[in-house]
Amino acid sequence: MPALACCVDAAHAPPGYAFPAGDSSLPFPVPCLPGVPLSTTSIHAAAAASENSSGHWSPSLSAELYKIDAWGAPYFSVNSSGNVSARPYGTDTLPHQEIDLLKIVKRVSDPKWAGGLGLQLPLIVRLPDVLKNRLESLQSAFDFAIQSQAYEAHYQGVYPVKCNQDRFVVEDIVRFGSPFRFGLEAGSKPELLLAMNCLCKGNPEALLICNGFKDVEYISLALIARKLSLKTVIVLEQEEEIDLVIEMSKKMSVRPVVGVRAKLRTKHSGHFGSTSGEKGKFGLTTTQILRVVKKLEQAGMLDCFQLLHFHIGSQIPSTALLSDGASEAAQIYCELVRLGARMQVIDIGGGLGIDYDGSKSGDSDLSVAYGLEEYALAVVQAVKFVCDRKNVKHPVICSESGRAIVSHHSILIFEAMSSSSTSASAASMTSYEMQYYLSRLTEDARADYRNLTASAIRGEHEACLLYADQLKQSCVDQFKEGNIGMEQLAAVDALCELFYKTFGASDPVRTYHVNLSLFTSIPDFWGIGQLFPIVPIHRLDQRPSARGILSDLTCDSDGKIDKFIGGESSLPLHEIEGGGAGGNGGKYYLGMFLGGAYEEALGGIHNLFGGPSVVRVSQSDGPYSFSVTQAVSGPSCGDVLRVMQYEPELMFETLKHRVEEYCHHDEDSDDSDGDHRMGSIATVANCLATYFHNMPYLVAPCSATGMNNSDFYYCNDDDYNAAADTCAVEDEK
């Protein structure tokens, strides 16, 4: 054990203090180099030297550290500048077509006078090119499987709008999917209304699948959709619904197309398989399906029975389980054909999973052990085998693969505002100050202190840590009893932390405070423990020097992210330069990826934060790589208050009257002129009005105020080329 520094002269005591008589110096038991007095500066310098000597860092090492090439392929990578880039066309993306996410953030967050859009973070970046590529890839996978297996029908999917009901997402899917007869699935009356509206501009052969529990209004609306020549299929979730369908179709003189959701015996054991199987929430048993057949036959409507639907759970982990479920459903399909139903379609539901953690494992809710091609091949082979054996015509294959379609196209970007450690900071107290305050401890604490010193000198690490814990707890107890002051308690904390760090017992994990509401933007993490890849979107050419958890802005203790992909309880992160947004340094941006499904649909307004700003970014082949074709600021304070039944306009008037009353009361003691008083009233009132219109999230100092909720930027398809020229971001060398 190296020699330990000791005594402090009374001359070095803090100003205004003097050492007590008697034992005025205690050995200072902090390890240091022989002959070199300890200082916290030397400790940090040694740590920095150790980091710098550990070798060169590169973007490829960051890609490996954060597993970006595993979960992000083929849509995300790290570029040579150390920033995360989006590859909008997947494997077909050329180098000059890659989109630097940091440049998007700069473009949309810069003030308008600097050429930006003045939007405030947090920010959702939508990439419609990725959405289009996902649709094309899914269609290509089934087309290849159908061709290779000589399957005698086609595939046409539907998008379940519950995954993300955003208008532009749904409209993009209908537009991009039109060549493939891609349709929509609805599970409620509002979803059915928006699906009907969007499909009016879609392929006339696209399916409109009506799932979910149904009442008379739902069924009537679905029949109206049928009357409007939309290929609407009413899928029965409960046996009683068939009576309503028969009754309403006769009243409205509409011949319906009916399907049933079958409760299969096949299910998977993960979290997302809990709604499947015989005891699942939805669907009809074989006995109930037989009764539906009988009722339709009695009503002369058995020919209306044309679709069989099943769902064995989201995130199906393996193709073996998928094949088992598809085979069971195909058997039911063939039996329905035998019973006289005019079957046309087998709807395999959702379940096409994505690899959130890059492990390609079938043993986790976060991953799947297959790709699009293997998924499609397993379905086609299973259905074909059963139908060929039963000599039944191959049905059209439909899927409701929402998660796999929309997850990749959306990135949530937010800023780390500051970081803090749960440990005491020895750097905030000099060794002289520490020595002085330690000398004023009670006798019991001084005894623990001497034991700590002795064990440190002897190099007894375990004993040293034991005495450090004992000293710390003893001082806490004495502080509660009022026997020592805050300065002494802080000195003990700092001293013990130095020992913990020296012997490797200190908790190195920091808390990074991020400008985000977890409950609003990542509700699945809080609700079901769903993990998403979270990565710094820049500075990836630098070695991360810290590990951290993320704490959001809400007042809830659950508002933190302390679990990450790969089983990690903390995330490698960089130092926030200059203290972060609260200081004068640079900004530090993080991105959450693969969150395009469900997170926006589930998010609430916890602490009245509301949703993030949203931009739609398309690849541009101009001199730059992208153009912003849509930008919408997040909800304002007034917007979220209105959701909770408040009336912001009346609230403002109440506060304005209060301002006028307060200034009126000031008149007696205010010698300033009337113009000054009126100016003060107007200034305060204007400030209040501004706060109602601004977003609830933190605004960094020296940044322009974000657009209020009335600001909207949108470029339609006809103006796309012009937008590519006027809204492109200039490369920064």
Side-chain angles (χ1 to χ4, degrees):
M1 184 74 177
L4 300 177
C6 53
C7 306
V8 178
D9 190 274
H12 296 290
Y17 290 90
F19 279 118
D23 187 5
S24 61
S25 65
L26 290 170
F28 186 61
V30 184
C32 61
L33 297 175
V36 180
L38 172 86
S39 72
T40 53
T41 303
S42 64
I43 292 177
H44 291 303
S50 174
E51 286 186 9
N52 292 335
S53 63
S54 57
H56 176 70
W57 196 255
S58 67
S60 61
L61 291 176
S62 285
E64 182 179 351
L65 176 66
Y66 294 107
K67 300 179 174 62
I68 295 175
D69 293 337
W71 57 258
Y75 299 108
F76 302 103
S77 62
V78 182
N79 62 29
S80 58
S81 299
N83 303 333
V84 176
S85 285
R87 309 181 74 239
Y89 310 123
T91 55
D92 295 330
T93 306
L94 300 176
H96 73 276
Q97 295 173 327
E98 294 189 5
I99 301 174
D100 190 317
L101 296 186
L102 184 62
K103 292 181 178 179
I104 295 177
V105 172
K106 178 175 173 53
R107 163 70 174 134
V108 302
S109 63
D110 275 354
K112 293 181 179 180
W113 57 261
L117 297 178
L119 282 178
Q120 184 182 336
L121 268 64
L123 176 72
I124 288 178
V125 177
R126 298 199 197 284
L127 301 170
D129 296 315
V130 171
L131 200 61
K132 184 173 185 286
N133 186 266
R134 291 299 290 174
L135 277 170
E136 293 172 345
S137 298
L138 178 61
Q139 185 70 39
S140 296
F142 271 100
D143 287 347
F144 177 79
I146 286 170
Q147 183 177 3
S148 65
Q149 298 300 307
Y151 191 82
E152 296 175 356
H154 65 272
Y155 165 79
Q156 63 178 102
V158 296
Y159 167 67
V161 297
K162 67 180 181 181
C163 284
N164 192 325
Q165 300 102 332
D166 181 84
R167 169 192 165 190
F168 294 98
V169 172
V170 179
E171 289 182 351
D172 279 344
I173 288 173
V174 170
R175 180 161 57 93
F176 297 148
S178 184
F180 316 125
R181 296 169 287 200
F182 215 88
L184 298 174
E185 180 269 346
S188 68
K189 284 177 275 190
E191 288 184 351
L192 181 52
L193 285 167
L194 75 85
M196 291 167 61
N197 175 72
C198 291
L199 284 177
C200 286
K201 301 176 183 178
N203 191 307
E205 295 300 311
L207 292 170
L208 172 54
I209 303 294
C210 301
N211 289 332
F213 291 111
K214 303 171 189 68
D215 58 8
V216 172
E217 286 188 351
Y218 188 126
I219 292 171
S220 299
L221 185 59
L223 292 172
I224 290 174
R226 181 76 180 164
K227 213 166 194 176
L228 299 177
S229 295
L230 297 174
K231 293 194 68 173
T232 311
V233 183
I234 301 174
V235 179
L236 307 178
E237 302 278 5
Q238 300 180 95
E239 183 182 352
E240 296 79 11
E241 292 172 356
I242 187 59
D243 299 322
L244 292 176
V245 171
I246 292 173
E247 178 186 355
M248 295 306 301
S249 62
K250 289 181 178 179
K251 285 184 178 180
M252 298 176 64
S253 300
V254 178
R255 198 74 174 170
V257 174
V258 177
V260 297
R261 175 169 175 167
K263 276 187 179 178
L264 302 186
R265 271 69 169 181
T266 305
K267 64 173 294 184
H268 72 81
S269 57
H271 168 82
F272 295 108
S274 60
T275 58
S276 60
E278 290 183 274
K279 297 181 180 180
K281 178 179 178 181
F282 300 105
L284 281 66
T285 64
T286 51
T287 301
Q288 291 174 315
I289 293 174
L290 287 172
R291 288 202 291 261
V292 167
V293 169
K294 185 175 181 180
K295 287 183 178 180
L296 286 171
E297 188 175 24
Q298 291 173 344
M301 298 172 63
L302 188 55
D303 61 311
C304 297
F305 196 168
Q306 298 182 14
L307 180 144
L308 179 72
H309 170 47
F310 70 93
H311 179 67
I312 58 176
S314 190
Q315 282 285 108
I316 296 174
S318 68
T319 54
L321 180 63
L322 176 66
S323 296
D324 193 20
S327 296
E328 182 185 351
Q331 294 286 357
I332 298 174
Y333 180 93
C334 292
E335 287 298 295
L336 290 171
V337 172
R338 181 181 65 81
L339 292 172
R342 191 178 295 177
M343 302 302 291
Q344 303 288 332
V345 180
I346 186 166
D347 180 353
I348 65 175
L352 172 53
I354 63 170
D355 193 358
Y356 286 103
D357 62 6
S359 64
K360 295 180 173 55
S361 168
D363 299 324
S364 168
D365 288 337
L366 297 178
S367 185
V368 291
Y370 56 81
L372 293 178
E373 293 77 12
E374 295 91 342
Y375 176 88
L377 188 61
V379 172
V380 171
Q381 285 179 334
V383 175
K384 181 178 186 298
F385 178 80
V386 173
C387 290
D388 286 349
R389 191 174 60 181
K390 295 283 189 176
N391 198 29
V392 170
K393 181 181 177 182
H394 298 166
V396 172
I397 295 176
C398 175
S399 74
E400 303 174 6
S401 305
R403 185 187 302 269
I405 291 173
V406 299
S407 290
H408 298 78
H409 95 287
S410 175
I411 307 127
L412 173 66
I413 298 177
F414 49 95
E415 183 180 358
M417 309 297 284
S418 63
S419 68
S420 61
S421 173
T422 56
S423 304
S425 175
S428 62
M429 184 174 292
T430 69
S431 59
Y432 303 115
E433 290 174 320
M434 193 182 302
Q435 176 70 33
Y436 172 72
Y437 293 124
L438 292 174
S439 70
R440 298 171 64 86
L441 294 175
T442 63
E443 185 55 40
D444 290 342
R446 291 161 68 85
D448 291 331
Y449 182 91
R450 292 189 184 92
N451 290 332
L452 175 60
T453 302
S455 60
I457 293 174
R458 291 192 298 267
E460 298 171 351
H461 291 188
E462 291 186 8
C464 187
L465 295 175
L466 179 63
Y467 284 123
D469 289 340
Q470 187 171 311
L471 172 62
K472 192 171 184 178
Q473 185 57 51
S474 173
C475 289
V476 169
D477 293 339
Q478 292 180 39
F479 176 75
K480 291 179 180 178
E481 295 171 1
N483 295 327
I484 63 174
M486 288 181 62
E487 298 93 342
Q488 292 159 289
L489 185 62
V492 170
D493 286 340
L495 173 70
C496 292
E497 181 58 27
L498 283 173
F499 275 102
Y500 296 149
K501 288 182 178 179
T502 301
F503 297 130
S506 176
D507 183 4
V509 177
R510 300 182 184 181
T511 298
Y512 281 67
H513 305 284
V514 296
N515 196 9
L516 184 74
S517 167
L518 183 150
F519 302 92
T520 297
S521 296
I522 321 177
D524 269 342
F525 176 84
W526 168 74
I528 62 174
Q530 171 73 44
L531 303 186
F532 298 91
I534 297 177
V535 178
I537 66 167
H538 62 136
R539 296 179 62 186
L540 297 178
D541 54 345
Q542 305 170 26
R543 179 191 299 275
S545 57
R547 296 196 70 91
I549 63 173
L550 308 180
S551 176
D552 74 356
L553 299 181
T554 67
C555 300
D556 198 303
S557 58
D558 288 333
K560 64 180 180 179
I561 303 175
D562 54 4
K563 294 182 178 63
F564 303 89
I565 64 171
E568 299 291 334
S569 58
S570 61
L571 188 69
L573 295 169
H574 304 84
E575 297 282 354
I576 300 180
E577 297 175 347
N584 297 319
K587 297 178 180 295
Y588 190 49
Y589 298 111
L590 302 169
M592 187 201 80
F593 296 79
L594 308 185
Y598 296 109
E599 301 317 290
E600 294 174 61
L602 294 174
I605 52 173
H606 188 277
N607 273 155
L608 298 187
F609 275 115
S613 302
V614 180
V615 294
R616 187 172 181 268
V617 178
S618 294
Q619 195 275 327
S620 170
D621 287 332
Y624 315 118
S625 60
F626 69 89
S627 60
V628 178
T629 57
Q630 178 205 349
V632 183
S633 179
S636 67
C637 293
D639 293 329
V640 293
L641 287 167
R642 193 174 285 109
V643 170
M644 302 307 293
Q645 312 305 317
Y646 292 93
E647 299 183 49
E649 295 79 11
L650 295 180
M651 293 170 68
F652 170 71
E653 289 300 322
T654 299
L655 293 172
K656 182 180 177 183
H657 290 318
R658 182 78 172 193
V659 170
E660 293 170 348
E661 180 183 5
Y662 173 79
C663 292
H664 174 71
H665 287 166
D666 270 358
E667 284 187 15
D668 294 338
S669 59
D670 190 355
D671 295 329
S672 58
D673 56 54
D675 291 340
H676 177 80
R677 287 196 299 274
M678 292 305 297
S680 176
I681 292 173
T683 299
V684 175
N686 287 337
C687 286
L688 287 170
T690 299
Y691 298 148
F692 274 105
H693 285 288
N694 284 352
M695 284 181 69
Y697 290 94
L698 298 182
V699 179
C702 302
S703 66
T705 301
M707 294 191 301
N708 64 40
N709 198 54
S710 63
D711 283 322
F712 181 88
Y713 171 82
Y714 178 65
C715 164
N716 61 31
D717 295 331
D718 295 334
D719 295 332
Y720 179 83
N721 292 330
D725 295 331
T726 59
C727 300
V729 173
E730 184 175 359
D731 284 323
E732 294 182 4
K733 303 299 182 182

